[in-house]
Each structure stands twice: as C-alpha cells, then as structure tokens.
Amino acid sequence: MASVQDLIEKNCFELKNAGKTDRDITKVFCCDLLSIAMGKAPGDSAWVTVMGNRNTLAVASLADVSCVILAEGAAFAPEDLDCAKKEEITVFYTELPVLDAALAVHALL
C-alpha cells in the first residue's frame, strides 16, 4: 500500500496542490469519462485522467479518491486549482501518458 505522501516524497509527479497527503492509495483508476468515474472510481484510489476541468474535481470529491493525476500535459485553470485547495484534493501533473503514470503509481502499491 502507498500513500499520497509517498508520491510526493518519491517526486513521481509535479505536485500542484497538496490536499490530504496522509491518504492511503489502494488502487489506480484510469478514466476520462466523468460519468463513469463518478460511479466506478474506487475510494482511496489515485485517479489518472486527462480531464483538466472543475467537474473533474467535483467527481474526485464525490468518489472520495485520494488524489488526481493529470496526465499527458493536461492542467487545471488557476481558479480550478483554487477549488482543489478549498476541497483539499491533492493534484499532480505529469507529461507521462495515462498508462505510464498509472504504472508508476501501481509500482508503489
């Protein structure tokens, strides 16, 4: 098992917002369709996606994921990062493809 803090300490990805860094990560979840993520993202998962918009943060909060990893150079607007701060959602950025980012997390589990 890994934690959000492990991702930060290992410098796996660029940290854009430190939310609840003591959260465990039990799985990796990859999905870009928000309606599917809302119903199927496991709680305590690291969600890897390219969907960099505020709705992603709403789904992350509803699904109770441990962190959001925006892959392939995707990014949130500054006002969306402000929302992540308010909601205490940890957000990482990476240029890696979705699969490679997911495998990097999976290797720590």
Side-chain angles (χ1 to χ4, degrees), residues 6-7 16 19 21 29 33 42 51 57 60 63 67 72 82 88 93-94 103-104 106 108:
D6 292 332
L7 291 181
K16 293 308 281 186
T21 60
F29 179 73
L33 192 56
M51 295 299 294
L57 296 171
C67 63
E72 304 195 29
D82 289 341
E88 297 185 272
Y93 287 179
T94 184
L103 288 172
H106 183 74
L108 297 175

Side-chain angles (χ1 to χ4, degrees), residues 7 24-30 42-48 65-69 102 105:
L7 291 181
D24 287 334
I25 298 172
T26 58
K27 290 186 171 212
V28 182
F29 179 73
C30 302
D44 296 327
S45 63
W47 179 16
V48 184
V65 299
S66 296
C67 63
V68 174
I69 302 166
V105 176

